[in-house]
Amino acid sequence: MDQQWPSTEAPTGAAHPAPTSDRGLGRETDAGTEYGVERRTGRGRRETRRPDSLFRAAWSRPIVRQLTRFTGVGIVCTLSSLALYALCRPWLGPQLANAVALIATSVMNTALNRRFTFRITERRGLAQDHFNGLVAMGVALLLTSGSLWVLLWINPLAGVAAELWTTTVAGWVATAVRFSLLRQWIFRRARNA
């Protein structure tokens, strides 16, 4: 249950209370000043809510939980993809190294998102989920390969660092597209996980 702090504004007709520190955003206690976020209630009165209750309110939304877990999975997969790219690039060239890194990490990404982001533990639909994940990876491959193609068209002598930055930025766009595809299409049965 959210703890509601007392209003910082006096009721109509009452004497105005002494100002609190930080323009009403904190209240003095024996332990010091406690801070919260001020907002207006439906009756036009102000109230201050503690940050931990704001966190709980945000965390109660499925999309916030999913985006947080998706971000963690994305960090692991991005670092794995960059390492694979840098490892394969000297032998395979930029385009093929990008494809190998994306395909390898896509399978890992779909499995991790299935289990952690969308909390699907059953085996039913596993093959279909991975096939759909490969379709979403195809979109990511088009975006990252397209960005590499543009970079190498503009600067044929671009180094590995420029290629990594280009694929990383394109990967961020592909990540937003991938999350939308995962949430709205592939794992829609678990949208409220």
Side-chain angles (χ1 to χ4, degrees):
M1 182 170 149
D2 286 342
Q3 175 185 0
Q4 298 294 324
W5 285 17
S7 171
T8 58
E9 199 171 273
T12 309
H16 189 61
T20 58
S21 63
D22 258 358
R23 296 189 183 129
L25 293 179
R27 68 177 181 167
E28 295 295 328
T29 65
D30 292 337
T33 302
E34 292 181 354
Y35 294 93
V37 175
E38 190 175 277
R39 69 180 181 106
R40 291 209 177 262
T41 64
R43 296 186 180 133
R45 298 179 64 176
R46 287 187 219 158
E47 68 179 25
T48 305
R49 295 182 66 183
R50 293 176 54 130
D52 62 336
S53 66
L54 292 172
F55 174 78
R56 277 193 303 257
W59 194 252
S60 70
R61 298 180 181 273
I63 194 161
V64 172
R65 292 190 309 267
Q66 290 169 352
L67 279 170
T68 303
R69 294 186 301 246
F70 181 81
T71 301
V73 168
I75 290 169
V76 169
C77 291
T78 298
L79 292 175
S80 300
S81 181
L82 291 174
L84 277 172
Y85 178 86
L87 196 71
C88 296
R89 195 309 187 175
W91 293 281
L92 302 177
Q95 292 292 359
L96 194 54
N98 179 53
V100 167
L102 273 176
I103 291 168
T105 56
S106 176
V107 173
M108 178 176 71
N109 187 288
T110 300
L112 290 173
N113 276 311
R114 185 177 201 275
R115 173 66 182 95
F116 296 112
T117 303
F118 296 99
R119 304 284 190 200
I120 299 172
T121 57
E122 62 194 20
R123 295 193 55 79
R124 184 177 54 87
L126 179 67
Q128 184 66 44
D129 290 343
H130 276 285
F131 176 77
N132 293 344
L134 288 174
V135 171
M137 183 274 310
V139 173
L141 185 60
L142 284 173
L143 288 169
T144 56
S145 293
S147 67
L148 268 177
W149 183 82
V150 169
L151 172 70
L152 295 174
W153 180 67
I154 292 171
N155 182 7
L157 301 176
V160 175
E163 293 169 359
L164 286 172
W165 276 110
T166 301
T167 57
T168 300
V169 172
W172 292 337
V173 174
T175 298
V177 171
R178 183 173 177 81
F179 180 76
S180 297
L181 288 173
L182 288 173
R183 189 165 198 273
Q184 303 297 328
W185 175 47
I186 300 172
F187 302 127
R188 70 178 170 267
R189 66 188 181 274
R191 282 180 55 190
N192 293 321

